[in-house]
Amino acid sequence: MTHSMSLTLLARQLVATFPEAVRKLDPRHVWRSPVVFVVWVGSLVTTVVAVTDPSWFAWSITLWLWATVLFANMAEAVAEGRGKAQAATLRAARTTTTAQRRAVDGSLTTVAASDLMVGDLVVVRPGEVVPGDGDVVEGMATVDESAITGESAPVIRESGGDRCAVTGGTTVLSDGITVRITTKPGETFIDRMIALVEGAARQKTPNEIALTILLTTLTIIFVLAVMAIQPLAVYSGHEQSVVVLVALLVCLIPTTIGALLSAIGIAGMDRLVQHNVLAMSGRAVEAAGDVSTLLLDKTGTITFGNRRATELLSAPRPDDVELVEAAYLSSLADETPEGRSIVDLAATGLPDGTRARLDGVRRDGATFVEFTAQTRMSGADLCDGTAVRKGASDAVCRWVARHGGQVPPEVLTMVDTIARAGGTPLVVATARPGEQPRALGVVHLKDVVKPGMKERFGQLRAMGIRTVMITGDNPLTATSIAAEAGVDDFLAEATPEDKMALIKKEQEGGRLVAMTGDGTNDAPALAQSDVGVAMNTGTSAAKEAANMVDLDSDPTKLIDIVSIGKQLLITRGALTTFSIANDIAKYFAIIPAMFVVLFPGLDALNVMGLATPKSAMLSAVIFNALIIVALIPLSLRGVRYRPAGSTALLRRNLLVYGVGGVIAPFIGIKLIDLVVSHLPGMM
């Protein structure tokens, strides 16, 4: 059912893009693809011949040659059509807005957004549209970025830090912010997105240029070969018509890959856009496919953004229930992510009745002590005089000692063990009326590796890609996380200078490096990397330095970007292999047909048993045109990529697309011949 729907959708797209394909017959457009341009010239020549010396055979060849050029244009038009649909959505989000520009004296002036200059300060209030790209310099607000990212949940943007960048066209939902404009009118993020997804700003990549040169060279060789045939044919007393020579040339040159090459490149960028990643150039997409080293930030990429409570360890004397209750109560006022994770963990060990009782202490008049950076503790003072505390081990130990208590050696041993393993120990203590304070146990906080990361790194290893974790943690913690995540190497206590040095070292060995980042301090490393992916939530400096922007701000998407890049390269290689391989069958169709009258022995090469020389030539030309249409879905969707080594990928490529490229034309040309051999003028 899905396959049928895909074919129906493709048919509709082909019909819809037919006018655009006709417009692309303009020689100023066609010459950009040398192979297709040769077919265009051949079509023009046969048209002249068909008009001056009309015949059913000449007109049939001419029409199918023009169809070949049209189908090539359609492949490109369908790929561009997808980008234009996305661009239309973006244009709908880009509205004409006004801005409240703030002067030096603090006064506000209403101006058109198009009049804003780099460095202007604008005030954006709730319900107003951000007039241009910039950085928040004052205030904090929730911003609706759905017009850009497609994500309906609002995000927080605030001055300072790595979440200060705002994009023109987004809407402030609450509070108010002051934005410093960082881009000129017409050069905003949305403007660049529109140009890129439409394909207007797409430049040919180095590999694409190299392949174009190869195809051009092959085409020139075949042009010379076909030109050399005519003198030999005249000498043999069997001069060939211009129509036959053009048909031979078009079937010999690699028209299939020449027609699909542009569509493959456009579709590669389109697949990234579908993953909400904006590539600033096709070169970046291609480089992603050749990456051999990935640099990944630990926090937010390999692990969740904040440490999480994973276990509660009781001291010998207190029971587990007392520790769980104390950890729960002492964390109710801790609004940090770590504090909330302790509440969640403790709640799983509490009966419903107990949890309801503990939640009621706030109503009973208990006093809660919030966590602060100064005290590094949180807790609660209950109405019956009981006090519970949870926090950093040294802070809680001082609290216990200050109230006349002692911390058991077993608790200190647990603290030391957790710290050595790279975790963060938090001590939980209680003080009841008339009793000395007691340390009940330890909460184990740790960076939790995201599910499935080890498997994904295993897939990257199978691709021949080396993974390096970047972290500011100490080497002990970094070693623990690296082992659990399954990365190949790590860089601990990393500074911006360390990142740059590592990237340059990797590149000196001839390897391509990819990394993610979101802060201003990441900008130098992003610029140095072959593939730099900036988070959309990051600073303008990071986005300007990178050659890709992830609109979802998901650092793990770098792995998907590499897969898409490899899929692009594999698709191009597979279709090139298929295109060159399927020429073999055309030799067996046309060469015998041209000279079988003069050299009857050539009939032995007519292994397909084609009816007549004319039907053989027409069948080969028709197949040459139709195979382009048949391969459009594959060029747009891409060849499915499975993580494997280069040798295995090459073997599969040759078996599927090399052997398949040889067999398919034999079958296709024979089936077409069964039909066209009954047409008039084919004898």
Side-chain angles (χ1 to χ4, degrees):
M1 180 66 70
T2 302
H3 182 65
S4 176
M5 291 175 61
S6 299
L7 291 177
T8 302
L9 179 60
L10 175 63
R12 291 176 180 173
Q13 289 175 331
L14 290 174
V15 172
T17 56
F18 181 78
E20 180 65 21
V22 173
R23 282 193 291 271
K24 288 178 179 289
L25 289 175
D26 187 333
R28 291 171 297 182
H29 172 82
V30 178
W31 75 269
R32 298 174 187 172
S33 174
V35 177
V36 178
F37 182 66
V38 168
V39 181
W40 184 90
V41 172
S43 304
L44 198 62
V45 171
T46 58
T47 301
V48 173
V49 173
V51 170
T52 57
D53 186 16
S55 69
W56 180 267
F57 176 72
W59 276 114
S60 298
I61 293 292
T62 299
L63 290 175
W64 280 103
L65 289 180
W66 282 117
T68 303
V69 181
L70 275 174
F71 292 157
N73 291 344
M74 276 185 177
E76 185 178 19
V78 169
E80 290 178 348
R82 295 186 176 189
K84 288 177 180 178
Q86 293 165 338
T89 302
L90 291 171
R91 282 196 178 93
R94 185 180 61 180
T95 57
T96 302
T97 59
T98 57
Q100 297 295 314
R101 183 166 58 191
R102 193 174 75 185
V104 178
D105 60 3
S107 61
L108 298 179
T109 306
T110 301
V111 298
S114 57
D115 293 335
L116 293 174
M117 304 298 293
V118 175
D120 283 348
L121 295 179
V122 296
V123 176
V124 189
R125 301 184 179 91
E128 294 180 348
V129 175
V130 178
D133 295 355
D135 292 329
V136 178
V137 294
E138 293 179 15
M140 179 177 69
T142 54
V143 180
D144 177 9
E145 295 186 341
S146 58
I148 306 295
T149 66
E151 176 59 53
S152 58
V155 295
I156 301 294
R157 292 290 177 264
E158 57 187 332
S159 60
D162 296 336
R163 294 181 177 270
C164 63
V166 289
T167 305
T170 57
T171 304
V172 172
L173 299 180
S174 67
D175 305 292
I177 50 177
T178 301
V179 178
R180 177 181 289 113
I181 299 298
T182 57
T183 57
K184 299 177 182 178
E187 298 179 5
T188 65
F189 192 62
I190 290 185
D191 290 317
R192 283 185 292 163
M193 284 182 69
I194 291 172
L196 287 165
V197 299
E198 279 186 324
R202 194 185 84 88
Q203 300 293 324
K204 285 189 176 182
T205 63
N207 282 350
E208 194 174 346
I209 292 172
L211 182 55
T212 300
I213 293 173
L214 173 62
L215 297 179
T216 303
T217 303
L218 288 175
T219 301
I220 293 172
I221 291 173
F222 282 122
V223 167
L224 296 175
V226 171
M227 290 175 63
I229 286 177
Q230 186 69 320
L232 294 174
V234 171
Y235 178 78
S236 301
H238 192 68
E239 183 178 353
Q240 299 295 324
S241 69
V242 173
V243 173
V244 170
L245 292 174
V246 171
L248 173 64
L249 175 61
V250 170
C251 289
L252 293 184
I253 63 178
T255 51
T256 306
I257 185 60
L260 298 174
L261 187 57
S262 181
I264 293 171
I266 295 172
M269 295 187 71
D270 178 64
R271 281 193 291 275
L272 272 181
V273 173
Q274 290 174 6
H275 281 73
N276 260 8
V277 176
L278 177 63
M280 300 305 178
S281 70
R283 181 190 297 266
V285 185
E286 199 169 82
D290 285 329
V291 160
S292 54
T293 303
L294 283 186
L295 305 185
L296 300 143
D297 276 335
K298 181 205 73 173
T299 305
T301 304
I302 296 174
T303 65
F304 290 100
N306 301 287
R307 294 168 299 173
R308 295 187 176 188
T310 58
E311 58 181 337
L312 301 175
L313 304 173
S314 297
R317 282 180 295 172
D319 58 30
D320 291 340
V321 174
E322 187 176 12
L323 171 63
V324 172
E325 291 185 4
Y328 186 87
L329 284 172
S330 60
S331 301
L332 285 177
D334 186 355
E335 293 300 326
T336 65
E338 291 85 354
R340 291 195 294 270
S341 75
I342 296 173
V343 172
D344 293 338
L345 177 64
T348 60
L350 292 174
D352 292 339
T354 303
R355 183 175 178 180
R357 174 175 58 82
L358 296 178
D359 288 338
V361 299
R362 191 186 301 270
R363 295 190 301 272
D364 295 338
T367 302
F368 285 93
V369 179
E370 295 183 0
F371 179 88
T372 66
Q374 290 74 30
T375 63
R376 295 189 297 152
M377 287 192 305
S378 64
D381 295 327
L382 309 185
C383 296
D384 62 1
T386 301
V388 290
R389 294 291 187 272
K390 171 231 61 190
S393 57
D394 57 339
V396 175
C397 287
R398 285 195 299 269
W399 181 81
V400 171
R402 190 165 60 248
H403 290 79
Q406 291 184 342
V407 177
E410 294 85 356
V411 170
L412 298 177
T413 300
M414 286 188 285
V415 168
D416 186 60
T417 301
I418 292 172
R420 286 182 179 275
T424 301
L426 299 180
V427 176
V428 180
T430 183
R432 297 183 182 277
E435 298 179 6
Q436 291 184 341
R438 293 179 299 140
L440 302 177
V442 179
V443 179
H444 184 182
L445 289 180
K446 63 178 292 188
D447 283 316
V448 178
V449 175
K450 293 180 178 180
M453 292 305 296
K454 195 163 190 174
E455 290 74 15
R456 300 195 78 174
F457 290 142
Q459 293 175 352
L460 290 170
R461 200 170 293 111
M463 300 179 199
I465 296 174
R466 178 169 169 265
T467 53
V468 181
M469 181 182 76
I470 307 295
T471 177
D473 290 336
N474 61 66
L476 190 64
T477 301
T479 301
S480 175
I481 296 296
E484 185 178 353
V487 295
D488 298 310
D489 201 356
F490 65 86
L491 178 65
E493 298 177 341
T495 64
E497 292 77 15
D498 294 333
K499 295 178 186 179
M500 283 286 289
L502 177 60
I503 292 171
K504 290 180 179 179
K505 180 181 177 182
E506 292 288 330
Q507 290 172 332
E508 286 173 0
R511 292 178 287 270
L512 297 187
V513 179
M515 77 161 287
T516 60
D518 58 4
T520 301
N521 62 339
D522 291 324
L526 288 170
Q528 180 67 35
S529 300
D530 300 285
V531 179
V533 184
M535 302 297 101
N536 191 42
T537 56
T539 61
S540 297
K543 288 193 281 190
E544 288 296 328
N547 49 25
M548 290 189 186
V549 177
D550 177 17
L551 302 180
D552 293 332
S553 300
D554 176 9
T556 61
K557 200 176 288 183
L558 181 58
I559 300 173
D560 296 323
I561 291 171
V562 170
S563 297
I564 291 172
K566 286 190 174 294
Q567 186 184 37
L568 170 65
L569 296 178
I570 290 172
T571 301
R572 187 184 295 154
L575 293 183
T576 301
T577 302
F578 184 91
S579 178
I580 295 175
N582 72 17
D583 288 339
I584 295 174
K586 300 171 193 174
Y587 304 155
F588 283 92
I590 292 187
I591 299 297
M594 291 177 65
F595 297 104
V596 70
V597 175
L598 189 62
F599 304 107
L602 288 176
D603 191 54
L605 296 179
N606 185 15
V607 295
M608 288 177 276
L610 303 179
T612 67
K614 288 185 177 180
S615 72
M617 295 178 193
L618 181 58
S619 297
V621 171
I622 293 174
F623 176 84
N624 196 58
L626 294 180
I627 196 64
I628 295 173
V629 178
L631 291 176
I632 289 177
L634 184 61
S635 66
L636 298 180
R637 185 179 66 251
V639 174
R640 184 178 178 184
Y641 173 68
R642 298 182 182 88
S646 56
T647 303
L649 290 174
L650 178 61
R651 187 186 304 115
R652 190 188 73 176
N653 202 8
L654 291 176
L655 286 175
V656 176
Y657 297 97
V659 177
V662 173
I663 295 174
F666 279 94
I667 299 173
I669 291 174
K670 177 60 180 178
L671 292 176
I672 295 171
D673 182 73
L674 293 175
V675 177
V676 302
S677 60
H678 298 291
L679 296 175
M682 290 297 108
M683 299 304 293

